[in-house]
Amino acid sequence: MRPTAAGRSWFAVGAAFLFLLLVGAPACQLPPPLPQEPADYGTGRARDATAEIPSGELLVRLADQEERLELEVGGVGEGELRFSAEGETIRCSNGERRASFRVVPQRPRGALTLDGRSYYGALWIRLHENQGLRVENQVGLEHYIAGVVPSELVLWSAEEPEIEAQAIAARTYALQSLMHRQKTGSAAFLWDDTRDQVYLGNYRGESSPAAQRVEARYRRALASSRGRVVLNSAGQLYDVRFHASCGGNTCSPAEAFPSESGLHHAAVACEPCRMIGAKERALPATDSTRRRVHWNWTADGPALSQLAHAIGVGQHVLALRDVKVDRHARWQSVVVEGDQGHLRISVERLRRELGPARLKGSAILRTWPALGDPIESGLFFEGVGRGHGAGLCQVGSHEYARQGWSARQILQHYLPGARIAAVPSE
Ligand SMILES: [Zn+2]
């Protein structure tokens, strides 16, 4: 049996077990104590990938390693182990050749290193279906969450309830996504980038007194939110999404992700974002103050040509027209007029094609030239809010936490009908 299949089927058992426990979990129950350090995975040697993945662990696929021809893993004893793809097998510098390897740290409770990052648990190294290698981190849920939170928040300025809310949202997202994928027959792993949640391995703080205070706050927040998840009114895992800032109103997941069904919770008002957005909008364009809500960006000729080409309307975008907006004026879809045809696309697709880090959100206040007017050399966008706008707003969460809101209040504001429960896990 290929290790991939073995890993997935064992994860399925684990996920199903977790789900059964979850359904019976009373709200607000304190989670059972979990080990502070990862389990002892043993010998520190690279060995064949036939181990089980117990409940409470998951697989995270490392996007940067996709199709790498060779890589080096540290934390396995003296020196590093080098792996390289050679035809149908992987060659390890210890002399072994296999179809896959499961690498574990030498020291019990130790961590592996790869490309300057540190990982608890095990690294599974397999052949990629195209070429080269593929790496997945088999990691305990709580260690995974401890790696996600500092990648998704600015820990230096984060308030404790904000960190707790982010940890609970991230844990719920991970479990809900894996269970959904399992149910629909998709592979049960999470990407370590924005396709799921950003996870850069273990958090490694600095040694200055200020950094240690930050880390202590982060560890306290993780401990007090350990094992907690958000349930919907039907007692199932909430379909939690989060984003950087909403611009004043969140949108429902059904509006942000029209291609996915079953996401029905409501949009809510976000007063902190509305006020910050208005303040930032009044700043002169040349003001270099770091903006959290308001943004602008000009799509140049090449970016627009790429868009036209990607959606099949020719080589040039002549105009954008007939925007459909939701009740908060957030774009939902737009007609892109090209030199060889036109096509209505969702704003999700528009952002994906132009680059979500550039076209930062869908609450677009204006364009220049205006909608329907001919585009000559470029197209200017001005908007508020960063990200898809569904679910938990991180700027709002930060501001409400500063005002004294608890993690529970924050989550229940952005996720209507939510209640917090504990996942009994090992
Ligand atoms: Zn907001």
Side-chain angles (χ1 to χ4, degrees):
M1 185 187 288
R2 289 273 307 193
T4 308
R8 282 176 191 156
S9 68
W10 278 106
F11 186 83
V13 173
F17 178 58
L18 212 75
F19 182 71
L20 286 174
L21 287 172
L22 181 68
V23 167
C28 311
Q29 177 194 328
L30 279 175
L34 294 175
Q36 293 294 315
E37 298 292 338
D40 177 1
Y41 289 111
T43 62
R45 285 180 292 109
R47 57 191 170 86
D48 198 13
T50 52
E52 303 168 9
I53 297 183
S55 64
E57 294 201 330
L58 41 86
L59 281 181
V60 187
R61 189 168 287 180
L62 310 185
D64 288 350
Q65 306 299 330
E66 288 284 276
E67 302 191 40
R68 282 270 300 271
L69 295 179
E70 60 174 47
L71 52 88
E72 291 181 346
V73 178
V76 289
E78 286 186 19
E80 297 184 314
L81 285 175
R82 282 190 311 283
F83 297 88
S84 51
E86 289 187 2
E88 295 298 299
T89 58
I90 302 170
R91 188 162 63 87
C92 177
S93 54
N94 68 4
E96 295 181 68
R97 280 174 185 271
R98 296 183 188 278
S100 61
F101 286 92
R102 178 175 178 275
V103 188
V104 296
Q106 180 194 33
R107 288 186 298 113
R109 304 182 175 186
L112 298 169
T113 57
L114 174 61
D115 276 354
R117 293 181 187 166
S118 158
Y119 295 96
Y120 283 132
L123 292 177
W124 292 59
I125 300 172
R126 320 173 203 272
L127 288 167
H128 192 282
E129 60 266 24
N130 295 338
Q131 60 158 2
L133 302 170
R134 161 167 286 158
V135 185
E136 287 167 328
N137 181 202
Q138 175 194 335
V139 60
L141 174 63
E142 294 301 329
H143 283 299
Y144 167 72
I145 297 303
V148 167
V149 170
S151 309
E152 291 283 357
L153 284 185
V154 182
L155 274 192
W156 279 89
S157 57
E159 303 283 333
E160 214 163 305
E162 175 192 356
I163 302 172
E164 288 176 32
Q166 182 69 51
I168 296 169
R171 184 180 298 105
T172 311
Y173 173 86
L175 293 176
Q176 201 277 340
S177 302
L178 289 169
M179 286 176 192
H180 179 73
R181 287 166 205 184
Q182 199 76 49
K183 257 197 286 187
T184 54
S186 308
F189 68 87
L190 297 169
W191 285 104
D192 72 344
D193 62 12
T194 53
R195 279 171 280 189
D196 283 306
Q197 313 184 98
V198 179
Y199 166 69
L200 305 176
N202 304 327
Y203 174 68
R204 293 196 285 194
E206 295 161 20
S207 58
S208 71
Q212 284 179 0
R213 280 195 298 276
V214 168
E215 179 159 354
R217 188 169 58 207
Y218 153 70
R219 300 278 172 207
R220 263 197 320 271
L222 281 185
S224 56
S225 56
R226 177 177 284 264
R228 298 196 172 201
V229 292
V230 187
L231 301 185
N232 62 23
S233 51
Q236 296 162 331
L237 283 173
Y238 210 103
D239 192 342
V240 174
R241 309 292 169 121
F242 54 84
H243 58 276
S245 63
C246 67
N249 286 285
T250 66
C251 65
S252 89
E255 289 164 340
F257 307 102
S259 53
E260 298 177 30
S261 58
L263 309 172
H264 298 304
H265 62 264
V268 300
C270 178
E271 191 58 16
C273 267
R274 191 190 63 73
M275 290 170 64
I276 293 169
K279 215 160 119 188
E280 290 176 348
R281 198 180 174 189
L283 295 172
T286 51
D287 189 302
S288 61
T289 307
R290 193 177 74 83
R291 293 161 194 249
R292 293 186 289 166
V293 177
H294 179 262
W295 56 269
N296 50 54
W297 174 64
T298 301
D300 60 13
L304 293 170
S305 293
Q306 210 177 335
L307 167 67
H309 182 71
I311 65 169
V313 297
Q315 300 304 316
H316 303 286
V317 175
L318 304 182
L320 294 190
R321 60 178 169 82
D322 297 338
V323 168
K324 277 193 185 148
V325 296
D326 69 10
R327 62 204 156 100
H328 299 301
R330 196 185 288 275
W331 286 24
Q332 289 183 302
S333 66
V334 61
V335 171
V336 181
E337 186 82 57
D339 54 323
Q340 293 170 29
H342 64 271
L343 185 70
R344 176 171 291 281
I345 60 171
S346 67
V347 70
E348 190 188 358
R349 174 100 193 263
L350 181 72
R351 291 189 61 220
R352 200 165 61 235
E353 300 296 353
L354 288 174
R358 302 191 294 182
L359 192 64
K360 293 184 171 59
S362 59
I364 296 164
L365 304 171
R366 68 184 177 110
T367 65
W368 182 262
L371 290 170
D373 287 355
I375 297 169
E376 285 170 14
S377 56
L379 180 60
F380 170 85
F381 292 90
E382 179 187 356
V384 285
R386 292 159 194 245
H388 50 63
L392 176 71
C393 167
Q394 291 171 320
V395 164
S397 171
H398 176 70
E399 295 299 323
Y400 281 134
R402 286 183 60 194
Q403 292 171 23
W405 286 29
S406 68
R408 178 185 303 279
Q409 286 174 305
I410 292 169
L411 289 166
Q412 288 180 333
H413 175 70
Y414 288 106
L415 308 171
R419 66 189 176 90
I420 315 295
V423 187
S425 60
E426 58 183 39

